[in-house]
Amino acid sequence: MSDTIKYLLSEDQVPKVWYNILADLPEPLPPVIHPGTGQPIGPDDLAPLFPMALIGQEVSADREIEIPDPVRDVYRTWRPTPLHRARGLEKVLDTPAKIYYKYEGVSPAGSHKPNTAVAQAFYNKDSGVKRLSTETGAGQWGSALAFACAHFGLELDVFMVRVSFDQKPYRRAMMETFGARCVASPSEETQSGRAILAEHPDSAGSLGIAISEAVEVAAQSDDTKYALGSVLNHVLLHQTVVGQEAMLQMEMAGNWPDILVGCTGGGSNFSGLVCPFLGAKLRGGAGIRVVAVEPAACPSLTRGEYAYDFGDTSHLTPLVKMHTLGSTFVPPPFHAGGLRYHGMAPLVSHLKQLDLIEAKSYHQTECFAAGVQFARAEGIVPAPEANHAVKGAIDEALACKEAGIGRTILFNLCGHGHFDMQAYTDYFAGRLNDQSYAESELAMALSGLPSVAAE
Amino acid sequence: MSDTIKYLLSEDQVPKVWYNILADLPEPLPPVIHPGTGQPIGPDDLAPLFPMALIGQEVSADREIEIPDPVRDVYRTWRPTPLHRARGLEKVLDTPAKIYYKYEGVSPAGSHKPNTAVAQAFYNKDSGVKRLSTETGAGQWGSALAFACAHFGLELDVFMVRVSFDQKPYRRAMMETFGARCVASPSEETQSGRAILAEHPDSAGSLGIAISEAVEVAAQSDDTKYALGSVLNHVLLHQTVVGQEAMLQMEMAGNWPDILVGCTGGGSNFSGLVCPFLGAKLRGGAGIRVVAVEPAACPSLTRGEYAYDFGDTSHLTPLVKMHTLGSTFVPPPFHAGGLRYHGMAPLVSHLKQLDLIEAKSYHQTECFAAGVQFARAEGIVPAPEANHAVKGAIDEALACKEAGIGRTILFNLCGHGHFDMQAYTDYFAGRLNDQSYAESELAMALSGLPSVAAE
């Protein structure tokens, strides 16, 4: 028999803590600023939206935060996730590199999103909340939260961007199967939605509008809170179960990665994999290169400005310092909906500023080509977002081949593409749009950045 | 922490042999009959369609057949599959029963089908075959074989029933992602297809027509063979990896099933789970009840006649003795496409005749209700076919509750429903058809049974 292909941990190896890299960074994160006062915000400013336990995690400096038993119990229904040696892909590429991938697609929603959805649902339930509201684009996050709410007996309202609501009914069907209520946004249910509809009755919606609706519902109701699927510190924190498991699995494999690769939209699957490894490096461990891969059509890390900006289009959120294309920037349509965000997690932006990570961007057509190559070699059809990580890993493996060096590469295959097959159909039909990121649009968007007396 | 939720085996516990229950049965299978001569067929009759290794397995009396290393190597990319304790479902049902399920949805195609697809692709490649042809309905089998052919470097032509080709493009996209060529059937590529199109230019196609096209292509080409996804002995044999793993996992759990449940269409996922357990019972092991669950709209085991019949509508196959609704019976449209077969695997029919298994049937609406209950409790959205097994297991658990007895139930969750969300949408919209199986239609179909000088 050939060598081992996948590395499996037992249920009792599901991590017992989340790892907080802030404890190991040489510099703290820039503060979050209240747009009205220009001063750093405090916990009370966030209390209408989040339970206090999550606010505490958002600002915590503790290196380890214990995972509550009820959360670990749910994690164990699909975690630990497998780590695979990509022997098929290595063979096709004829590379001396060793390629490994952590596969988060085995979760109930098919991606890494339930890692934080379960934690957020638990803390909300635990603090007496009856209902959550959230937004979703293509539906990956909405279906993860729907699963988590079903488990803990919370109601859930999902504001789903109208164009996705109409065009991608199957993620919606999955949310409804898990018991969530799914509303097309803009809707008649909120003031924000009605205002948009009054002006644009045929509005296709946007993530920015959907966020406004979900936030409004939570802010105006005592028993309803808001949940976000990426960007925030506590969300990225919950994803560190991915990297912690991967460290154990790389030890099982008797290899340690020289290069880590992840795709970045809001930044959560990326930091989930890389932060535990980076923490080990910061505490004196082995050196490691870390590569963030983003879409060329929405290149916040590679082309954005590192500046204070709003997290949403309607400017309901506080100001955070991040790599941003401007909160009014609307990315061109491409299939990796999870990567269509104008900004980047402040933590990931901070890692970039500290030169702890690199970033590069690819057009979607070359990412789908990489995804198809991966599917034929490994038997898993990746999500369009994950294809960016696949492309990044393949390029690193080909660079190893050219240099004749057998480095070890680990990437996060953050989800499967079962609900994204229209994108593959469009790829095979040559219908994908590789619209370039327009300099003029960037300039316009950046000119809209707010003026803030930072730090 | 609570008790264990899932039982995982290591890669070296992937079974080394397939288990052949024919070696342990008190009576042999009735022979397969040539429709022209009325005499039992021999290996040479099958040689144009299958490689000799598979024909040998089709008629083997050996208890164990070694799994070739290259097949085990591919199995190890997703096998062993997990066995779950359904604690969430037990809680919702408030039953004293212990419910376990073997989950085959973690495979590349999302079902048990790759267990035989990989083996069939290997033996064909090994015998010098360049190309396979097959038929597929909704696409579950076609995508499994596409994955297997991608791995072994075989070309694949899939004749996909026209109505599914048009209405379910995402399974087709998956087949193409794995590199297969997918053709709407009836097609202009075969004599069978052209004949149908000449008479019915707008034909929606049928599985029977698609089989005729795939068989014709294989029969007329030296380097092309045919592959089938269920019904035949060698196909059922390959699925026994499921039950063998489940036996080890039930031992890990410290429990032995009193009741096994599986859904039956052609019979392969069902026998894959139950045959190893039944074999142990036949060799003097613990008693066990085995329940086959089929759709009320296509009830071959519960309402069909045990008689010699053709395996396809166009009467290109030999005659096999099985429970059949008649080869001309066209099941009404329902969503569990994998269960819409007029007959049943001869082996499963034989087990039923020997009183080793029971059979019952359900309408699809009650099966979807069970599937939604399962999804909310366990976080996995089952395939419509698998919902029949879920419904059967829930009913057994509720019977335990009524009787106050804590029996152990194990069922095969043979696949996920990610490509079947339209069915869930229709269920929530109250649009499912529970058309009854018409007695008149049965009578008509049965009257078409061929007259055979049996045995």
Side-chain angles (χ1 to χ4, degrees), chain A residues 108-109 173-175 177-178 419, chain B residues 103 368 371-372 374-376 378-384 386-387 413 415-421 424:
Chain A
M174 191 183 209
M175 291 182 241
T177 301
F178 286 140
F419 291 84
Chain B
Y103 185 40
F368 275 95
V372 168
F374 180 86
R376 290 180 188 175
E378 296 290 321
I380 298 172
V381 181
N387 281 342
L413 190 73
H416 63 61
H418 299 172
F419 292 85
D420 305 285
M421 296 312 294
Y424 282 88

PDB file of all heavy atoms in Angstrom, chain A residues 108-109 173-175 177-178 419, chain B residues 103 368 371-372 374-376 378-384 386-387 413 415-421 424:
ATOM      1  N   PRO A 108     -21.427  20.712   8.251  1.00  0.00           N
ATOM      2  CA  PRO A 108     -22.838  20.700   7.845  1.00  0.00           C
ATOM      3  C   PRO A 108     -23.156  21.672   6.705  1.00  0.00           C
ATOM      4  O   PRO A 108     -23.960  21.367   5.831  1.00  0.00           O
ATOM      5  CB  PRO A 108     -23.582  21.106   9.124  1.00  0.00           C
ATOM      6  CG  PRO A 108     -22.692  20.635  10.223  1.00  0.00           C
ATOM      7  CD  PRO A 108     -21.285  20.857   9.711  1.00  0.00           C
ATOM      8  N   ALA A 109     -22.559  22.862   6.722  1.00  0.00           N
ATOM      9  CA  ALA A 109     -22.853  23.825   5.664  1.00  0.00           C
ATOM     10  C   ALA A 109     -21.871  23.716   4.506  1.00  0.00           C
ATOM     11  O   ALA A 109     -22.023  24.400   3.505  1.00  0.00           O
ATOM     12  CB  ALA A 109     -22.838  25.244   6.223  1.00  0.00           C
ATOM     13  N   ALA A 173     -32.868  27.093   0.040  1.00  0.00           N
ATOM     14  CA  ALA A 173     -33.574  25.865   0.416  1.00  0.00           C
ATOM     15  C   ALA A 173     -32.865  25.180   1.582  1.00  0.00           C
ATOM     16  O   ALA A 173     -33.502  24.618   2.474  1.00  0.00           O
ATOM     17  CB  ALA A 173     -33.674  24.926  -0.784  1.00  0.00           C
ATOM     18  N   MET A 174     -31.534  25.230   1.585  1.00  0.00           N
ATOM     19  CA  MET A 174     -30.789  24.605   2.680  1.00  0.00           C
ATOM     20  C   MET A 174     -31.056  25.350   3.995  1.00  0.00           C
ATOM     21  O   MET A 174     -31.263  24.728   5.032  1.00  0.00           O
ATOM     22  CB  MET A 174     -29.296  24.608   2.363  1.00  0.00           C
ATOM     23  CG  MET A 174     -28.485  23.748   3.313  1.00  0.00           C
ATOM     24  SD  MET A 174     -26.704  23.854   2.951  1.00  0.00           S
ATOM     25  CE  MET A 174     -26.167  22.229   3.513  1.00  0.00           C
ATOM     26  N   MET A 175     -31.057  26.689   3.945  1.00  0.00           N
ATOM     27  CA  MET A 175     -31.366  27.465   5.156  1.00  0.00           C
ATOM     28  C   MET A 175     -32.750  27.118   5.677  1.00  0.00           C
ATOM     29  O   MET A 175     -32.954  26.952   6.879  1.00  0.00           O
ATOM     30  CB  MET A 175     -31.307  28.967   4.841  1.00  0.00           C
ATOM     31  CG  MET A 175     -29.906  29.476   4.550  1.00  0.00           C
ATOM     32  SD  MET A 175     -29.904  31.269   4.253  1.00  0.00           S
ATOM     33  CE  MET A 175     -29.272  31.333   2.588  1.00  0.00           C
ATOM     34  N   THR A 177     -34.384  24.354   5.137  1.00  0.00           N
ATOM     35  CA  THR A 177     -34.351  22.982   5.652  1.00  0.00           C
ATOM     36  C   THR A 177     -33.868  22.973   7.100  1.00  0.00           C
ATOM     37  O   THR A 177     -34.378  22.232   7.939  1.00  0.00           O
ATOM     38  CB  THR A 177     -33.435  22.101   4.774  1.00  0.00           C
ATOM     39  OG1 THR A 177     -33.930  22.116   3.433  1.00  0.00           O
ATOM     40  CG2 THR A 177     -33.392  20.667   5.279  1.00  0.00           C
ATOM     41  N   PHE A 178     -32.904  23.825   7.405  1.00  0.00           N
ATOM     42  CA  PHE A 178     -32.421  23.930   8.784  1.00  0.00           C
ATOM     43  C   PHE A 178     -33.359  24.776   9.652  1.00  0.00           C
ATOM     44  O   PHE A 178     -33.115  24.941  10.853  1.00  0.00           O
ATOM     45  CB  PHE A 178     -31.011  24.528   8.815  1.00  0.00           C
ATOM     46  CG  PHE A 178     -29.926  23.573   8.368  1.00  0.00           C
ATOM     47  CD1 PHE A 178     -28.868  24.008   7.583  1.00  0.00           C
ATOM     48  CD2 PHE A 178     -29.945  22.243   8.758  1.00  0.00           C
ATOM     49  CE1 PHE A 178     -27.856  23.140   7.181  1.00  0.00           C
ATOM     50  CE2 PHE A 178     -28.941  21.366   8.359  1.00  0.00           C
ATOM     51  CZ  PHE A 178     -27.894  21.812   7.565  1.00  0.00           C
ATOM     52  N   PHE A 419     -22.780  23.806  -4.319  1.00  0.00           N
ATOM     53  CA  PHE A 419     -23.842  24.784  -4.555  1.00  0.00           C
ATOM     54  C   PHE A 419     -23.373  25.864  -5.548  1.00  0.00           C
ATOM     55  O   PHE A 419     -24.017  26.895  -5.683  1.00  0.00           O
ATOM     56  CB  PHE A 419     -24.287  25.417  -3.239  1.00  0.00           C
ATOM     57  CG  PHE A 419     -25.007  24.457  -2.334  1.00  0.00           C
ATOM     58  CD1 PHE A 419     -24.317  23.612  -1.492  1.00  0.00           C
ATOM     59  CD2 PHE A 419     -26.392  24.378  -2.360  1.00  0.00           C
ATOM     60  CE1 PHE A 419     -24.980  22.698  -0.685  1.00  0.00           C
ATOM     61  CE2 PHE A 419     -27.061  23.471  -1.550  1.00  0.00           C
ATOM     62  CZ  PHE A 419     -26.364  22.624  -0.705  1.00  0.00           C
TER      63      PHE A 419
ATOM     64  N   TYR B 103     -22.353   6.980   7.206  1.00  0.00           N
ATOM     65  CA  TYR B 103     -22.529   8.110   6.295  1.00  0.00           C
ATOM     66  C   TYR B 103     -21.618   8.002   5.070  1.00  0.00           C
ATOM     67  O   TYR B 103     -20.407   8.215   5.158  1.00  0.00           O
ATOM     68  CB  TYR B 103     -22.290   9.427   7.031  1.00  0.00           C
ATOM     69  CG  TYR B 103     -22.563  10.642   6.170  1.00  0.00           C
ATOM     70  CD1 TYR B 103     -23.650  10.658   5.304  1.00  0.00           C
ATOM     71  CD2 TYR B 103     -21.742  11.755   6.206  1.00  0.00           C
ATOM     72  CE1 TYR B 103     -23.910  11.745   4.496  1.00  0.00           C
ATOM     73  CE2 TYR B 103     -21.993  12.857   5.406  1.00  0.00           C
ATOM     74  CZ  TYR B 103     -23.083  12.841   4.541  1.00  0.00           C
ATOM     75  OH  TYR B 103     -23.326  13.924   3.733  1.00  0.00           O
ATOM     76  N   PHE B 368     -39.649  13.088   3.048  1.00  0.00           N
ATOM     77  CA  PHE B 368     -39.029  14.415   3.147  1.00  0.00           C
ATOM     78  C   PHE B 368     -39.231  15.008   4.540  1.00  0.00           C
ATOM     79  O   PHE B 368     -38.335  15.672   5.075  1.00  0.00           O
ATOM     80  CB  PHE B 368     -39.550  15.358   2.058  1.00  0.00           C
ATOM     81  CG  PHE B 368     -38.798  15.217   0.766  1.00  0.00           C
ATOM     82  CD1 PHE B 368     -39.263  14.401  -0.246  1.00  0.00           C
ATOM     83  CD2 PHE B 368     -37.599  15.884   0.583  1.00  0.00           C
ATOM     84  CE1 PHE B 368     -38.548  14.245  -1.423  1.00  0.00           C
ATOM     85  CE2 PHE B 368     -36.871  15.742  -0.590  1.00  0.00           C
ATOM     86  CZ  PHE B 368     -37.354  14.918  -1.598  1.00  0.00           C
ATOM     87  N   GLY B 371     -36.633  13.548   6.533  1.00  0.00           N
ATOM     88  CA  GLY B 371     -35.334  14.098   6.157  1.00  0.00           C
ATOM     89  C   GLY B 371     -35.089  15.475   6.768  1.00  0.00           C
ATOM     90  O   GLY B 371     -33.980  15.778   7.217  1.00  0.00           O
ATOM     91  N   VAL B 372     -36.126  16.312   6.802  1.00  0.00           N
ATOM     92  CA  VAL B 372     -35.989  17.642   7.392  1.00  0.00           C
ATOM     93  C   VAL B 372     -35.773  17.520   8.908  1.00  0.00           C
ATOM     94  O   VAL B 372     -34.929  18.218   9.483  1.00  0.00           O
ATOM     95  CB  VAL B 372     -37.231  18.506   7.064  1.00  0.00           C
ATOM     96  CG1 VAL B 372     -37.244  19.781   7.891  1.00  0.00           C
ATOM     97  CG2 VAL B 372     -37.253  18.833   5.576  1.00  0.00           C
ATOM     98  N   PHE B 374     -34.372  15.057  10.395  1.00  0.00           N
ATOM     99  CA  PHE B 374     -33.001  14.573  10.530  1.00  0.00           C
ATOM    100  C   PHE B 374     -31.998  15.708  10.332  1.00  0.00           C
ATOM    101  O   PHE B 374     -31.049  15.861  11.100  1.00  0.00           O
ATOM    102  CB  PHE B 374     -32.748  13.448   9.515  1.00  0.00           C
ATOM    103  CG  PHE B 374     -31.362  12.878   9.573  1.00  0.00           C
ATOM    104  CD1 PHE B 374     -31.061  11.848  10.465  1.00  0.00           C
ATOM    105  CD2 PHE B 374     -30.338  13.361   8.766  1.00  0.00           C
ATOM    106  CE1 PHE B 374     -29.771  11.324  10.540  1.00  0.00           C
ATOM    107  CE2 PHE B 374     -29.056  12.845   8.830  1.00  0.00           C
ATOM    108  CZ  PHE B 374     -28.780  11.825   9.718  1.00  0.00           C
ATOM    109  N   ALA B 375     -32.208  16.525   9.297  1.00  0.00           N
ATOM    110  CA  ALA B 375     -31.270  17.617   8.988  1.00  0.00           C
ATOM    111  C   ALA B 375     -31.166  18.580  10.165  1.00  0.00           C
ATOM    112  O   ALA B 375     -30.065  19.008  10.530  1.00  0.00           O
ATOM    113  CB  ALA B 375     -31.711  18.351   7.723  1.00  0.00           C
ATOM    114  N   ARG B 376     -32.288  18.931  10.756  1.00  0.00           N
ATOM    115  CA  ARG B 376     -32.257  19.881  11.871  1.00  0.00           C
ATOM    116  C   ARG B 376     -31.598  19.275  13.101  1.00  0.00           C
ATOM    117  O   ARG B 376     -30.961  19.975  13.882  1.00  0.00           O
ATOM    118  CB  ARG B 376     -33.682  20.347  12.182  1.00  0.00           C
ATOM    119  CG  ARG B 376     -34.209  21.236  11.073  1.00  0.00           C
ATOM    120  CD  ARG B 376     -35.620  21.754  11.282  1.00  0.00           C
ATOM    121  NE  ARG B 376     -36.029  22.436  10.038  1.00  0.00           N
ATOM    122  CZ  ARG B 376     -37.227  22.940   9.814  1.00  0.00           C
ATOM    123  NH1 ARG B 376     -38.158  22.870  10.752  1.00  0.00           N
ATOM    124  NH2 ARG B 376     -37.497  23.536   8.663  1.00  0.00           N
ATOM    125  N   GLU B 378     -29.319  16.603  13.047  1.00  0.00           N
ATOM    126  CA  GLU B 378     -27.984  16.038  12.839  1.00  0.00           C
ATOM    127  C   GLU B 378     -27.072  16.901  11.966  1.00  0.00           C
ATOM    128  O   GLU B 378     -25.883  16.632  11.859  1.00  0.00           O
ATOM    129  CB  GLU B 378     -28.098  14.634  12.213  1.00  0.00           C
ATOM    130  CG  GLU B 378     -28.788  13.608  13.112  1.00  0.00           C
ATOM    131  CD  GLU B 378     -27.924  13.233  14.324  1.00  0.00           C
ATOM    132  OE1 GLU B 378     -26.701  13.113  14.170  1.00  0.00           O
ATOM    133  OE2 GLU B 378     -28.494  13.076  15.429  1.00  0.00           O
ATOM    134  N   GLY B 379     -27.650  17.927  11.312  1.00  0.00           N
ATOM    135  CA  GLY B 379     -26.811  18.830  10.525  1.00  0.00           C
ATOM    136  C   GLY B 379     -26.434  18.335   9.142  1.00  0.00           C
ATOM    137  O   GLY B 379     -25.596  18.931   8.481  1.00  0.00           O
ATOM    138  N   ILE B 380     -27.035  17.245   8.696  1.00  0.00           N
ATOM    139  CA  ILE B 380     -26.762  16.735   7.345  1.00  0.00           C
ATOM    140  C   ILE B 380     -28.082  16.699   6.577  1.00  0.00           C
ATOM    141  O   ILE B 380     -29.066  16.150   7.076  1.00  0.00           O
ATOM    142  CB  ILE B 380     -26.157  15.319   7.390  1.00  0.00           C
ATOM    143  CG1 ILE B 380     -24.809  15.333   8.116  1.00  0.00           C
ATOM    144  CG2 ILE B 380     -26.006  14.745   5.978  1.00  0.00           C
ATOM    145  CD1 ILE B 380     -24.235  13.937   8.372  1.00  0.00           C
ATOM    146  N   VAL B 381     -28.092  17.289   5.377  1.00  0.00           N
ATOM    147  CA  VAL B 381     -29.285  17.250   4.524  1.00  0.00           C
ATOM    148  C   VAL B 381     -29.187  16.003   3.656  1.00  0.00           C
ATOM    149  O   VAL B 381     -28.319  15.912   2.791  1.00  0.00           O
ATOM    150  CB  VAL B 381     -29.378  18.504   3.633  1.00  0.00           C
ATOM    151  CG1 VAL B 381     -30.631  18.449   2.779  1.00  0.00           C
ATOM    152  CG2 VAL B 381     -29.352  19.768   4.476  1.00  0.00           C
ATOM    153  N   PRO B 382     -30.062  15.009   3.873  1.00  0.00           N
ATOM    154  CA  PRO B 382     -29.926  13.746   3.139  1.00  0.00           C
ATOM    155  C   PRO B 382     -30.429  13.844   1.697  1.00  0.00           C
ATOM    156  O   PRO B 382     -31.273  14.684   1.375  1.00  0.00           O
ATOM    157  CB  PRO B 382     -30.823  12.767   3.922  1.00  0.00           C
ATOM    158  CG  PRO B 382     -31.179  13.453   5.201  1.00  0.00           C
ATOM    159  CD  PRO B 382     -31.126  14.925   4.909  1.00  0.00           C
ATOM    160  N   ALA B 383     -29.931  12.955   0.862  1.00  0.00           N
ATOM    161  CA  ALA B 383     -30.480  12.796  -0.481  1.00  0.00           C
ATOM    162  C   ALA B 383     -31.907  12.257  -0.370  1.00  0.00           C
ATOM    163  O   ALA B 383     -32.251  11.582   0.605  1.00  0.00           O
ATOM    164  CB  ALA B 383     -29.609  11.828  -1.289  1.00  0.00           C
ATOM    165  N   PRO B 384     -32.752  12.545  -1.373  1.00  0.00           N
ATOM    166  CA  PRO B 384     -34.129  12.037  -1.331  1.00  0.00           C
ATOM    167  C   PRO B 384     -34.188  10.514  -1.180  1.00  0.00           C
ATOM    168  O   PRO B 384     -35.084   9.993  -0.494  1.00  0.00           O
ATOM    169  CB  PRO B 384     -34.702  12.475  -2.685  1.00  0.00           C
ATOM    170  CG  PRO B 384     -33.906  13.677  -3.063  1.00  0.00           C
ATOM    171  CD  PRO B 384     -32.521  13.423  -2.531  1.00  0.00           C
ATOM    172  N   ALA B 386     -31.981   8.645   0.410  1.00  0.00           N
ATOM    173  CA  ALA B 386     -31.609   8.336   1.792  1.00  0.00           C
ATOM    174  C   ALA B 386     -32.744   8.661   2.758  1.00  0.00           C
ATOM    175  O   ALA B 386     -32.856   8.042   3.826  1.00  0.00           O
ATOM    176  CB  ALA B 386     -30.340   9.103   2.172  1.00  0.00           C
ATOM    177  N   ASN B 387     -33.600   9.629   2.403  1.00  0.00           N
ATOM    178  CA  ASN B 387     -34.717   9.964   3.278  1.00  0.00           C
ATOM    179  C   ASN B 387     -35.626   8.762   3.538  1.00  0.00           C
ATOM    180  O   ASN B 387     -36.287   8.691   4.573  1.00  0.00           O
ATOM    181  CB  ASN B 387     -35.555  11.103   2.669  1.00  0.00           C
ATOM    182  CG  ASN B 387     -34.897  12.454   2.885  1.00  0.00           C
ATOM    183  OD1 ASN B 387     -34.025  12.608   3.739  1.00  0.00           O
ATOM    184  ND2 ASN B 387     -35.326  13.448   2.113  1.00  0.00           N
ATOM    185  N   LEU B 413     -27.018   6.010   5.624  1.00  0.00           N
ATOM    186  CA  LEU B 413     -27.296   7.334   5.052  1.00  0.00           C
ATOM    187  C   LEU B 413     -26.425   7.416   3.802  1.00  0.00           C
ATOM    188  O   LEU B 413     -25.281   7.855   3.848  1.00  0.00           O
ATOM    189  CB  LEU B 413     -26.961   8.435   6.055  1.00  0.00           C
ATOM    190  CG  LEU B 413     -27.443   9.824   5.646  1.00  0.00           C
ATOM    191  CD1 LEU B 413     -28.956   9.926   5.802  1.00  0.00           C
ATOM    192  CD2 LEU B 413     -26.769  10.909   6.463  1.00  0.00           C
ATOM    193  N   GLY B 415     -26.260   9.083   1.043  1.00  0.00           N
ATOM    194  CA  GLY B 415     -25.771  10.241   0.301  1.00  0.00           C
ATOM    195  C   GLY B 415     -26.362  11.543   0.795  1.00  0.00           C
ATOM    196  O   GLY B 415     -27.400  11.564   1.462  1.00  0.00           O
ATOM    197  N   HIS B 416     -25.677  12.654   0.474  1.00  0.00           N
ATOM    198  CA  HIS B 416     -26.198  13.977   0.844  1.00  0.00           C
ATOM    199  C   HIS B 416     -27.104  14.523  -0.253  1.00  0.00           C
ATOM    200  O   HIS B 416     -27.108  14.010  -1.384  1.00  0.00           O
ATOM    201  CB  HIS B 416     -25.062  14.946   1.146  1.00  0.00           C
ATOM    202  CG  HIS B 416     -24.164  15.248  -0.006  1.00  0.00           C
ATOM    203  ND1 HIS B 416     -24.596  15.840  -1.171  1.00  0.00           N
ATOM    204  CD2 HIS B 416     -22.844  15.026  -0.193  1.00  0.00           C
ATOM    205  CE1 HIS B 416     -23.589  15.985  -1.999  1.00  0.00           C
ATOM    206  NE2 HIS B 416     -22.509  15.482  -1.445  1.00  0.00           N
ATOM    207  N   GLY B 417     -27.851  15.561   0.102  1.00  0.00           N
ATOM    208  CA  GLY B 417     -28.836  16.108  -0.820  1.00  0.00           C
ATOM    209  C   GLY B 417     -28.437  17.420  -1.468  1.00  0.00           C
ATOM    210  O   GLY B 417     -29.306  18.157  -1.938  1.00  0.00           O
ATOM    211  N   HIS B 418     -27.128  17.706  -1.533  1.00  0.00           N
ATOM    212  CA  HIS B 418     -26.697  19.026  -2.023  1.00  0.00           C
ATOM    213  C   HIS B 418     -27.129  19.310  -3.456  1.00  0.00           C
ATOM    214  O   HIS B 418     -27.239  20.460  -3.851  1.00  0.00           O
ATOM    215  CB  HIS B 418     -25.173  19.153  -1.926  1.00  0.00           C
ATOM    216  CG  HIS B 418     -24.647  19.038  -0.531  1.00  0.00           C
ATOM    217  ND1 HIS B 418     -23.326  18.968  -0.223  1.00  0.00           N
ATOM    218  CD2 HIS B 418     -25.297  18.998   0.661  1.00  0.00           C
ATOM    219  CE1 HIS B 418     -23.166  18.875   1.086  1.00  0.00           C
ATOM    220  NE2 HIS B 418     -24.350  18.883   1.638  1.00  0.00           N
ATOM    221  N   PHE B 419     -27.325  18.255  -4.238  1.00  0.00           N
ATOM    222  CA  PHE B 419     -27.730  18.451  -5.629  1.00  0.00           C
ATOM    223  C   PHE B 419     -29.225  18.216  -5.811  1.00  0.00           C
ATOM    224  O   PHE B 419     -29.710  18.103  -6.923  1.00  0.00           O
ATOM    225  CB  PHE B 419     -26.916  17.533  -6.552  1.00  0.00           C
ATOM    226  CG  PHE B 419     -25.458  17.911  -6.633  1.00  0.00           C
ATOM    227  CD1 PHE B 419     -24.555  17.458  -5.683  1.00  0.00           C
ATOM    228  CD2 PHE B 419     -25.001  18.742  -7.636  1.00  0.00           C
ATOM    229  CE1 PHE B 419     -23.228  17.822  -5.727  1.00  0.00           C
ATOM    230  CE2 PHE B 419     -23.668  19.109  -7.704  1.00  0.00           C
ATOM    231  CZ  PHE B 419     -22.779  18.655  -6.751  1.00  0.00           C
ATOM    232  N   ASP B 420     -29.936  18.125  -4.707  1.00  0.00           N
ATOM    233  CA  ASP B 420     -31.359  17.787  -4.747  1.00  0.00           C
ATOM    234  C   ASP B 420     -32.202  18.823  -4.024  1.00  0.00           C
ATOM    235  O   ASP B 420     -33.304  18.521  -3.564  1.00  0.00           O
ATOM    236  CB  ASP B 420     -31.574  16.412  -4.088  1.00  0.00           C
ATOM    237  CG  ASP B 420     -30.716  15.328  -4.723  1.00  0.00           C
ATOM    238  OD1 ASP B 420     -31.047  14.895  -5.841  1.00  0.00           O
ATOM    239  OD2 ASP B 420     -29.702  14.938  -4.112  1.00  0.00           O
ATOM    240  N   MET B 421     -31.701  20.050  -3.919  1.00  0.00           N
ATOM    241  CA  MET B 421     -32.405  21.032  -3.099  1.00  0.00           C
ATOM    242  C   MET B 421     -33.720  21.484  -3.730  1.00  0.00           C
ATOM    243  O   MET B 421     -34.609  21.960  -3.032  1.00  0.00           O
ATOM    244  CB  MET B 421     -31.496  22.229  -2.787  1.00  0.00           C
ATOM    245  CG  MET B 421     -30.270  21.887  -1.934  1.00  0.00           C
ATOM    246  SD  MET B 421     -30.599  20.877  -0.454  1.00  0.00           S
ATOM    247  CE  MET B 421     -31.578  22.017   0.529  1.00  0.00           C
ATOM    248  N   TYR B 424     -36.373  19.659  -1.997  1.00  0.00           N
ATOM    249  CA  TYR B 424     -36.741  20.234  -0.689  1.00  0.00           C
ATOM    250  C   TYR B 424     -37.585  21.486  -0.880  1.00  0.00           C
ATOM    251  O   TYR B 424     -38.540  21.727  -0.134  1.00  0.00           O
ATOM    252  CB  TYR B 424     -35.477  20.524   0.133  1.00  0.00           C
ATOM    253  CG  TYR B 424     -34.894  19.281   0.767  1.00  0.00           C
ATOM    254  CD1 TYR B 424     -33.977  18.495   0.082  1.00  0.00           C
ATOM    255  CD2 TYR B 424     -35.285  18.873   2.045  1.00  0.00           C
ATOM    256  CE1 TYR B 424     -33.446  17.338   0.645  1.00  0.00           C
ATOM    257  CE2 TYR B 424     -34.762  17.726   2.622  1.00  0.00           C
ATOM    258  CZ  TYR B 424     -33.850  16.960   1.914  1.00  0.00           C
ATOM    259  OH  TYR B 424     -33.350  15.814   2.479  1.00  0.00           O
TER     260      TYR B 424
END
